[in-house]
């Protein structure tokens, strides 16, 4: 596969057109859309052949976005964001009114994460809104930890793929997903941040 199928500026333009792009994060390569432009994750479900019952998290640009897009955010979630953002921790919170219903789970929640990757953060900054993002692989296939590992079948479905300038492999370890909408937080998926790490703050 050739190195990149578009420049950073091409990626920003595509996101502003509501197109999906492939781009690097700190964990794996992601497939994402700008939420203000797309207003629905449908293109991600279609490209990835993903079950539409599985919500898609948002990558955000900073800890302040936890309260911007979340409602009734508990103090523990803010503490975790300060400790682990940017990094591999997705916090599920009740979605604020500004979050389109199409991006919310059936329970009215949204998963938020600040990635520890300069390309991803600059994309978010340039388009001025979060990126609804899932791993850049067809459902059931391995998540790509490097540019070369991106499935050609998926690559052929998107116009722009941005390679990481550092050319470093991603961790490959999925972000921990923590449901912060209950009295006690629940680990939905354990990743780099362990359940023990979370319990130590309770």
């Amino acid at each position: 596969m050739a190195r990149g199928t578009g420049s950073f500026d091409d990626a920003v333009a595509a996101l502003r057109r509501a197109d999906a792009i492939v781009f690097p994060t700190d964990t794996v390569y992601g497939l994402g859309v700008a939420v203000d432009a797309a207003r629905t994750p449908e293109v991600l479900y279609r490209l990835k052949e993903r079950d539409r019952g599985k919500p898609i998290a948002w990558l955000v640009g900073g800890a302040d976005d936890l309260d911007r897009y979340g409602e009734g955010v508990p103090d523990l979630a803010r503490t975790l964001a300060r400790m682990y953002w940017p990094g591999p921790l997705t916090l599920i919170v009740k979605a604020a009114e500004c979050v389109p219903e199409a991006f919310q789970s059936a329970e009215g929640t949204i998963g938020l994460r600040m990635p520890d990757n300069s390309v991803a953060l600059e994309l978010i900054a340039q388009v001025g809104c979060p990126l609804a993002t899932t791993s850049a692989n067809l459902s059931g296939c391995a998540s790509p930890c490097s540019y070369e590992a991106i499935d050609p079948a998926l690559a052929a479905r998107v116009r722009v793929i941005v390679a990481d300038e550092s050319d470093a492999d991603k961790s490959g370890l999925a972000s921990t997903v923590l449901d912060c909408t209950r009295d006690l937080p629940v680990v939905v998926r354990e990743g780099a941040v362990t359940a023990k790490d979370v319990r130590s703050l309770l």
Side-chain angles (χ1 to χ4, degrees):
M1 185 185 296
R3 172 58 61 182
T5 58
S7 67
F8 181 88
D9 288 344
D10 291 334
V12 172
L15 289 168
R16 289 173 174 166
R17 291 194 304 268
D19 290 342
I21 69 165
V22 172
F23 64 98
T25 77
D26 47 335
T27 55
V28 296
Y29 269 78
L31 174 70
V33 293
V35 301
D36 283 356
R39 306 299 291 179
T40 170
E42 177 59 30
V43 64
L44 302 180
Y45 288 117
R46 177 171 51 80
L47 290 172
K48 188 180 170 78
E49 300 176 8
R50 180 184 171 102
D51 179 357
R52 284 164 174 76
K54 296 180 178 179
I56 292 176
W58 287 10
L59 296 184
V60 299
D64 289 346
D65 288 331
L66 191 57
D67 284 295
R68 182 173 293 113
Y69 302 110
E71 182 177 293
V73 176
D75 289 339
L76 177 62
R78 296 191 187 93
T79 298
L80 287 164
R82 287 194 298 269
M83 291 184 65
Y84 294 107
W85 284 8
L89 177 64
T90 299
L91 299 171
I92 297 175
V93 294
K94 183 178 179 182
E97 289 186 4
C98 64
V99 177
E101 187 174 342
F103 285 108
Q104 299 181 28
S105 71
E107 294 76 29
T109 62
I110 184 72
L112 303 173
R113 181 171 90 86
M114 181 184 180
D116 190 11
N117 179 274
S118 60
V119 175
L121 290 174
E122 186 60 23
L123 286 170
I124 293 166
Q126 289 296 317
V127 298
C129 67
L131 303 182
T133 305
T134 181
S135 55
N137 58 281
L138 298 179
S139 290
C141 298
S143 301
C145 297
S146 66
Y147 182 87
E148 287 72 19
I150 298 171
D151 189 334
L154 178 64
R157 299 180 182 186
V158 297
R159 294 183 179 180
V160 179
I161 300 175
V162 181
D164 200 331
E165 294 176 359
S166 70
D167 204 31
D169 283 0
K170 309 300 144 196
S171 71
L173 187 60
S175 70
T176 296
V177 179
L178 188 68
D179 185 348
C180 298
T181 64
R182 311 183 190 188
D183 291 338
L184 290 176
V186 175
V187 176
V188 178
R189 180 182 71 194
E190 187 166 6
V193 179
T194 67
K196 183 178 178 180
D197 293 330
V198 175
R199 286 197 300 270
S200 70
L201 298 173
L202 298 178

